Amino acid sequence: MIAVDTNLLVYASRGDTVWHQEAAALLAGLANGRQHWAIPWPCVHEFLGCVTRPRYFNPPTPVDRALATIEAWRESPALQLIGEGTGYWEVLSRLVKNAKLV
């Protein structure tokens, strides 16, 4: 099984990063392939915190788009999210949507 880290997720989702094309192609290959792959939950948290933060990206990724990106990854039948139990995504995404972001 291949597990991806935060950097790969950020590069794949942000077209303005140096490694975007390579990362996007690699992630698309994993998402559309048959080989099992994984994203650790801490990397999901870091991804959300990084791409939506104006200090890191100008403009930052809107929260709804960042959440939709994660939803798209979750549709991969070969993906396993590592570290949290069933129903965690629903709780996390609800909290993020309702958060007062600075």
Side-chain angles (χ1 to χ4, degrees), residues 23-37 72-79:
L26 178 64
L27 208 56
L30 290 172
N32 296 317
R34 292 180 170 204
Q35 180 179 9
H36 290 283
W37 64 292
W73 295 330
R74 291 182 69 235
E75 291 178 10
S76 170
L79 174 64

Side-chain angles (χ1 to χ4, degrees), residues 1-19:
M1 177 181 295
I2 294 174
V4 299
D5 74 352
T6 305
N7 292 325
L8 183 64
L9 299 176
V10 171
Y11 296 150
S13 73
R14 293 285 309 194
D16 55 351
T17 60
V18 175
W19 300 105

